[in-house]
């Protein structure tokens, strides 16, 4: 890197710092807003979830800023939010404190409170990071976050009601199994009852697969690329166990398409694969809305494919 290039980089960085720090968010506004939201939540959440007492909500709001800082800092470095991990801390603690009399509901509600605070901080960090790179005002990014949050308070419940009315949410044989609902509920029960509630040999299997995942990841890191590319990623292998095999089938089809595309035109595949994948994922998600509407209106598809064994006559 020559002197001119280094000077240009420094000028760009200086410009970004100047634009980003020009419109700072007043500390008093941030603190007063957080205190106001804490007061509203402390008063209303116990009315919705009676087992979660007001002092548990207040304690969650006292602890959450430290966890939110850690999560937002880590998200800014790695683009990976661990909001669910911090939420599990509140889940286990509150569920164990409340006990068998409402501990599951209290733990899940506390987990939701903690996750909403921590994940919002991480999302805001991502917005600030994007604003810094695109020479956008920090205040405008914060206002956009507020607008999006306000819209989410209306759209999210309506979307949930739409899905809840149209589909059998939680059906293990249906398209919307809600696996995380089962997982978090079991974790709340585990926080109350302890490891004794786990199925037989469950911990042994967990320990075994934990060690196996470490070994597989180690092999991927120490083997040459020609060999490591054929070693599966444990995280990717675990995903279908959580949300069902249909996800693995979708990913396999996408991988085959990308593989063929790279063989035909690698440059175009490298340039447009992300955009094509995003479009497919977005389209698949958007289709659930008309699908839910058709289900509510009791409109059945003209053809149905059935892949289970035929019933004996």
């Amino acid at each position: 890197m020559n002197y001119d290039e280094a000077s240009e980089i420094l000028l760009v960085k200086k410009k970004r710092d100047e634009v980003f720090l020009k419109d700072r968010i007043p500390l008093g506004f941030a603190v007063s807003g957080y205190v106001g939201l804490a007061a509203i939540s402390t008063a209303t959440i116990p009315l919705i979830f009676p087992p979660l007492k007001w002092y548990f909500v207040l304690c969650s709001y006292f602890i959450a800023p430290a966890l939110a800082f850690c999560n937002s800092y880590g998200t800014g470095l790695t683009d990976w939010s661990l909001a669910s991990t911090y939420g599990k801390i509140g889940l286990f603690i509150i569920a164990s404190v409340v006990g068998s009399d409402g501990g599951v509901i209290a733990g899940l509600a506390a987990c939701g409170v903690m996750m909403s605070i921590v994940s919002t901080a991480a999302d805001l960090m991502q917005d600030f990071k994007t604003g810094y790179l695109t020479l956008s005002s920090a205040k405008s990014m914060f206002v956009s976050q507020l607008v999006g949050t306000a819209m989410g308070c209306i759209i999210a419940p309506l979307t949930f009601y739409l899905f809840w009315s149209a589909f059998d949410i939680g059906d293990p044989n249906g398209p919307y199994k809600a696996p995380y609902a089962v997982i978090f509920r079991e974790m709340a029960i585990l926080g109350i009852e302890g490891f004794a509630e786990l199925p037989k040999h469950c911990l042994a299997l967990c320990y075994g697969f934990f060690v196996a995942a470490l070994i597989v990841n180690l092999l991927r890191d120490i083997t040459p690329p020609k060999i490591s590319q054929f070693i599966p990623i444990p995280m990717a292998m675990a995903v279908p166990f959580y949300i069902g095999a249909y996800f693995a089938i979708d990913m396999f089809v996408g991988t085959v398409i990308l593989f063929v595309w790279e063989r035909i035109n690698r440059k175009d595949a490298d340039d447009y694969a992300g955009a094509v994948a995003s479009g497919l994922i977005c389209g698949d998600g958007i289709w659930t809305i008309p699908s839910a509407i058709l289900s509510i209106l009791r409109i059945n598809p003209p053809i149905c494919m059935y892949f289970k064994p035929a019933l004996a006559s």
Side-chain angles (χ1 to χ4, degrees), residues 252-266 269:
F252 175 75
V253 172
T255 302
V256 171
I257 294 174
L258 181 60
F259 178 80
V260 175
W261 193 2
E262 287 178 341
R263 292 298 179 271
I264 297 174
N265 192 327
R266 188 173 187 85

Side-chain angles (χ1 to χ4, degrees), residues 138-160:
K139 187 176 292 185
S140 65
M141 302 301 294
F142 181 72
V143 172
S144 300
Q145 182 87 356
L146 289 179
V147 173
T149 302
M151 293 174 60
C153 291
I154 300 173
I155 296 174
L158 294 177
T159 304
F160 174 79

Side-chain angles (χ1 to χ4, degrees), residues 64 88 94 103 124 142 156 178 201 208 254 256 260 283 306:
K88 292 167 190 172
I94 300 300
L124 191 58
F142 181 72
H201 306 305
V256 171
V260 175
Y306 192 73

Side-chain angles (χ1 to χ4, degrees), residues 309-313:
L311 298 176
S313 58

Side-chain angles (χ1 to χ4, degrees), residues 10-94:
L10 289 175
L11 288 175
V12 172
K13 184 179 183 303
K14 183 179 179 181
K15 180 65 175 178
R16 284 175 175 167
D17 293 343
E18 180 182 349
V19 172
F20 188 75
L21 298 176
K22 180 177 63 176
D23 294 329
R24 292 192 176 186
I25 301 169
L27 179 61
F29 177 79
V31 173
S32 60
Y34 187 80
V35 171
L37 291 175
I40 295 173
S41 299
T42 303
T44 57
I45 291 179
L47 299 177
I48 304 173
F49 306 103
L52 185 64
K53 304 302 181 183
W54 65 269
Y55 43 85
F56 289 135
V57 180
L58 192 60
C59 289
S60 298
Y61 269 88
F62 272 116
I63 299 172
L67 301 180
F69 173 81
C70 296
N71 189 48
S72 60
Y73 181 77
T75 304
L77 293 176
T78 64
D79 289 334
W80 186 14
S81 175
L82 297 176
S84 62
T85 302
Y86 293 107
K88 292 167 190 172
I89 297 175
L91 186 151
F92 283 119
I93 294 175
I94 300 300

Side-chain angles (χ1 to χ4, degrees), residues 17-308:
D17 293 343
E18 180 182 349
V19 172
F20 188 75
L21 298 176
K22 180 177 63 176
D23 294 329
R24 292 192 176 186
I25 301 169
L27 179 61
F29 177 79
V31 173
S32 60
Y34 187 80
V35 171
L37 291 175
I40 295 173
S41 299
T42 303
T44 57
I45 291 179
L47 299 177
I48 304 173
F49 306 103
L52 185 64
K53 304 302 181 183
W54 65 269
Y55 43 85
F56 289 135
V57 180
L58 192 60
C59 289
S60 298
Y61 269 88
F62 272 116
I63 299 172
L67 301 180
F69 173 81
C70 296
N71 189 48
S72 60
Y73 181 77
T75 304
L77 293 176
T78 64
D79 289 334
W80 186 14
S81 175
L82 297 176
S84 62
T85 302
Y86 293 107
K88 292 167 190 172
I89 297 175
L91 186 151
F92 283 119
I93 294 175
I94 300 300
S96 61
V97 171
V98 175
S100 58
D101 187 15
V104 173
I105 299 297
L108 292 174
C111 177
V113 172
M114 195 73 72
M115 284 183 62
S116 63
I117 299 172
V118 174
S119 64
T120 301
D123 293 339
L124 191 58
M125 169 58 69
Q126 292 289 73
D127 291 343
F128 282 153
K129 184 178 179 180
T130 303
Y132 178 80
L133 295 175
T134 57
L135 296 176
S136 301
S137 168
K139 187 176 292 185
S140 65
M141 302 301 294
F142 181 72
V143 172
S144 300
Q145 182 87 356
L146 289 179
V147 173
T149 302
M151 293 174 60
C153 291
I154 300 173
I155 296 174
L158 294 177
T159 304
F160 174 79
Y161 178 76
L162 179 66
F163 275 79
W164 189 261
S165 303
F167 304 108
D168 189 7
I169 305 297
D171 181 9
N173 297 318
Y176 299 99
K177 302 175 179 62
Y180 278 99
V182 178
I183 293 171
F184 275 77
R185 180 180 179 274
E186 295 299 326
M187 285 192 294
I189 296 175
L190 187 64
I192 298 171
E193 304 293 341
F195 291 130
E197 286 297 308
L198 291 174
K200 190 177 181 180
H201 306 305
C202 181
L203 281 179
L205 288 171
C206 288
Y207 295 149
F209 281 101
F210 176 76
V211 174
L214 290 179
I215 294 174
V216 172
N217 280 307
L218 181 62
L219 290 175
R220 284 181 54 85
D221 291 337
I222 64 176
T223 54
K226 291 183 178 180
I227 299 176
S228 63
Q229 64 178 339
F230 296 105
I231 300 177
I233 302 173
M235 182 70 74
M237 295 170 61
V239 169
F241 287 91
Y242 276 107
I243 61 178
Y246 74 93
F247 180 83
I249 295 173
D250 292 346
M251 294 298 104
F252 175 75
V253 172
T255 302
V256 171
I257 294 174
L258 181 60
F259 178 80
V260 175
W261 193 2
E262 287 178 341
R263 292 298 179 271
I264 297 174
N265 192 327
R266 188 173 187 85
K267 185 179 184 305
D268 283 351
D270 293 339
D271 292 340
Y272 302 116
V276 172
S278 299
L280 291 173
I281 294 172
C282 183
D284 184 59
I286 291 176
W287 167 247
T288 58
I289 297 176
S291 176
I293 295 174
L294 293 174
S295 179
I296 292 174
L297 297 176
R298 299 293 187 267
I299 299 176
N300 296 320
I303 185 172
C304 181
M305 301 180 70
Y306 192 73
F307 294 99
K308 290 186 177 180

